[in-house]
Amino acid sequence: MDSRQFHSPLPHYPGFAGRLTAGMNDNLHQLRCFGCGDRISGSEVLPDFRCAKCGDLFEVEYAGWSLRGGTNRPNAGALKWLWRERRSSSETLDHSGVWRFRELLPILDNYGNAVTLREGNTPLYALTRAAQKLGVDQLYAKHQGMNPTGSFKDTGMTAALSVAKERGFEWVACASTGNTSAAMAAYAARAGLRSLVLIPEGKIAWGKLSQAMDYGAVTCQLKTDFDGCVKVLAEIVQKEPIYLLNSVNPYRLEGQKTPAFEIAEALDWNVPDHLIVPGGNLANSSALGKGFREMRELGLVARMPRISVIQAAGANPLVRSLSANHGKDLEPVEAHTRATAIRIGNPASWRKAVRVIQDTDGWCLDVTEAEIAIAKAELGAEGLGCEPASAVTLAGLKKLRAEGKIGSGETVVLVLTGHTLKDADYTIDFHRGTLLKEEESAGYGEDIEKLRRNAVAVDANPRAVIAAMRGSAG
Ligand code: F0G
């Protein structure tokens, strides 16, 4: 791609310190270890993205942002203007809901290396029926399933895969519960790179597996779980020149923070009172927290939302850690849930998630298989739909409301992370009544029956179809 293609035609805006367009050589970033605080340059990082001194993960940091009046500090008013103008720009990079905000993720030397599928710019839908039922004034769903490969992973992948391309890698790889691999395979294919996917055999949804194949990845199904795949890949990247694209890669989080900008922009630079996010490997909650924190630091918004993380009860190591020791240690668990995207027992980014929850006074709780299934059907019945892992957010909100932790006057945003077609088998099993075991649905029978809409076999004549229509529940 020709970098000149990305030269913005927008005019100079006074007060923007000459940094109106992010062209070449705007790269300001360094990596800071989350554990020991050591700082290194991006090119010094080890293949497993762990700190050489303490083994913890890195965060991307931008020199000078925290200094008021510093020359590197972007101007909040100018940024808001510029980002809005870009909505009507004809430049490819401006069509991306990630790179539209590129002043806040200056991680590339040359924006000609950006690999984009026009990710981001996802809708913020009002959830009117759920809001009414729960007695919440303003309830929204930020639907990240509306990204090009059907999940929020695209926002992170465009960022990190562009770095891989800029650094000259031929191969990229990830271990995945399905969505990361789908996104990575697509972006690698666009960039002309080879991709290697490690997935737990039999434990990912077919829609996601089919995507990795479709986009030409070398897909290895390992006889282990997600956590086992992560271990195998950690050894491979030490032996082969492969760029690791799991969320231990801090550039993924730079892309995944941009939905925070979109949410604030959609609410006219107000922040919601509460953001509710599903928790698996725990990178996304951390990324969104970083997005809101940086916006506050730069004066784009006045405060942070509370950020709460919801896990499946069968895959809840963070919930356990926070209740056992306030998030000081995390004991891995053997994970079991039909929400396969978040079937993770040993989450890599748990320390980052603890910081986000504690800094924002958020909550962390878990929900059962029946609660997830019901919430997913309710979101479907509002015409949105999502994959099971995303539905934990609504299930979590119901609990937080019931416990009085969220007031009726609050503005709440649920982050729906994946598209409903990712896991059609789950949806069909729910509506057929074969998803849950009796003991799992105990106490929820009535709620489930009200939501079930099984397809019915009907004789091929109008009378029979009309009878089926009249006989259906309202
Ligand atoms: N929702 C969906 C649909 C996901 O695919 C994932 C993670 C999460 C939520 C949890 O996000 O890990 O940042 O806490 N999926 C990963 C994958 C692990 O491999 O696709 P997290």
Side-chain angles (χ1 to χ4, degrees):
M1 238 180 289
D2 182 350
S3 65
R4 283 166 304 176
Q5 183 182 353
F6 297 127
H7 190 76
S8 170
L10 296 172
H12 183 73
Y13 182 82
F16 197 72
R19 299 181 54 79
L20 181 65
T21 58
M24 292 170 70
N25 302 322
D26 277 344
N27 193 342
L28 293 172
H29 84 279
Q30 57 191 351
L31 301 181
R32 181 179 179 278
C33 174
F34 196 79
C36 67
D38 196 32
R39 288 188 172 85
I40 59 170
S41 75
S43 56
E44 284 174 295
V45 73
L46 296 174
D48 63 357
F49 289 97
R50 297 270 171 189
C51 174
K53 294 197 174 135
C54 75
D56 211 327
L57 301 179
F58 286 97
E59 271 197 316
V60 176
E61 192 183 62
Y62 302 103
W65 276 17
S66 51
L67 301 173
R68 282 178 198 278
T71 48
N72 285 338
R73 186 179 159 87
N75 174 299
L79 285 176
K80 289 178 187 174
W81 174 86
L82 176 62
W83 295 338
R84 196 179 54 238
E85 288 300 301
R86 281 189 184 144
R87 285 176 163 275
S88 54
S89 154
S90 57
E91 298 292 320
T92 309
L93 212 54
D94 294 341
H95 293 175
S96 160
V98 171
W99 297 110
R100 186 161 74 84
F101 300 104
R102 53 193 175 270
E103 289 72 16
L104 295 200
L105 54 148
I107 53 176
L108 296 177
D109 288 334
N110 182 345
Y111 283 94
N113 289 321
V115 184
T116 173
L117 281 164
R118 302 188 186 198
E119 52 289 319
N121 292 321
T122 54
L124 186 69
Y125 294 118
L127 279 170
T128 42
R129 273 171 257 170
Q132 201 175 21
K133 206 166 154 198
L134 292 171
V136 177
D137 280 359
Q138 308 239 41
L139 177 60
Y140 298 96
K142 176 68 175 162
H143 207 326
Q144 293 295 93
M146 300 302 182
N147 270 295
T149 77
S151 86
F152 73 102
K153 303 289 182 178
D154 293 343
T155 56
M157 208 48 79
T158 186
L161 196 126
S162 300
V163 174
K165 187 179 173 202
E166 186 162 278
R167 298 205 179 147
F169 282 88
E170 280 171 33
W171 279 89
V172 292
C174 70
S176 180
T177 57
N179 281 325
T180 301
S181 47
M184 181 188 77
Y187 282 83
R190 294 299 291 173
L193 306 187
R194 302 291 313 277
S195 64
L196 170 69
V197 162
L198 303 192
I199 47 172
E201 188 183 29
K203 291 173 197 147
I204 80 165
W206 289 117
K208 303 174 188 180
L209 177 59
S210 73
Q211 286 179 291
M213 293 172 169
D214 205 21
Y215 305 135
V218 175
T219 305
C220 301
Q221 307 188 79
L222 307 191
K223 288 190 195 316
T224 178
D225 54 11
F226 169 80
D227 303 298
C229 292
V230 169
K231 273 192 206 142
V232 172
L233 189 56
E235 287 185 33
I236 295 174
V237 296
Q238 304 290 358
K239 296 191 168 100
E240 298 285 324
I242 299 180
Y243 193 69
L244 180 63
L245 281 172
N246 274 96
S247 54
V248 291
N249 180 325
Y251 300 110
R252 281 264 314 274
L253 276 64
E254 291 308 286
Q256 284 176 215
K257 76 187 181 185
T258 58
F261 309 157
E262 289 185 352
I263 291 169
E265 187 186 48
L267 298 175
D268 210 10
W269 301 104
N270 292 301
V271 291
D273 298 300
H274 211 126
L275 188 78
I276 305 185
V277 191
N281 216 15
L282 297 171
N284 202 32
S285 37
S286 323
L288 293 166
K290 187 173 193 278
F292 279 107
R293 196 171 55 245
E294 289 177 352
M295 275 194 288
R296 192 192 51 190
E297 273 168 20
L298 294 172
L300 285 151
V301 297
R303 60 183 176 91
M304 300 266 294
R306 258 182 219 270
I307 298 182
S308 291
V309 175
I310 316 295
Q311 298 197 295
N316 63 352
L318 186 66
V319 177
R320 288 169 186 248
S321 152
L322 285 162
S323 80
N325 56 54
H326 302 287
K328 288 196 179 68
D329 289 304
L330 181 134
E331 190 68 40
V333 303
E334 198 181 301
H336 297 282
T337 170
R338 291 184 189 81
T340 49
I342 51 172
R343 186 174 177 153
I344 295 174
N346 190 13
S349 296
W350 68 273
R351 279 188 211 278
K352 291 185 183 179
V354 167
R355 184 183 68 181
V356 167
I357 295 167
Q358 292 179 342
D359 281 1
T360 66
D361 271 336
W363 312 96
C364 180
L365 50 88
D366 57 13
V367 290
T368 66
E369 294 294 298
E371 288 164 344
I372 298 171
I374 290 168
K376 179 175 140 45
E378 286 170 339
L379 287 161
E382 288 225 28
L384 296 190
C386 61
E387 65 167 287
S390 311
V392 301
T393 55
L394 179 59
L397 169 63
K398 289 189 201 173
K399 281 201 164 162
L400 291 169
R401 261 309 269 155
E403 291 168 12
K405 289 174 174 154
I406 292 185
S408 62
E410 295 192 26
T411 302
V412 181
V413 174
L414 309 180
V415 180
L416 302 185
T417 43
H419 198 280
T420 186
L421 292 177
K422 287 279 190 175
D423 194 353
D425 285 351
Y426 182 102
T427 311
I428 291 173
D429 288 347
F430 175 82
H431 290 285
R432 284 188 177 150
T434 55
L435 182 74
L436 299 168
K437 294 190 199 122
E438 223 173 284
E439 60 272 23
E440 290 172 317
S441 53
Y444 293 100
E446 218 174 288
D447 293 339
I448 291 172
E449 283 318 305
K450 269 196 223 147
L451 287 160
R452 277 184 54 213
R453 294 289 183 275
N454 196 12
V456 285
V458 172
D459 286 342
N461 67 66
R463 209 159 22 94
V465 174
I466 291 168
M469 210 173 93
R470 295 212 171 119
S472 70

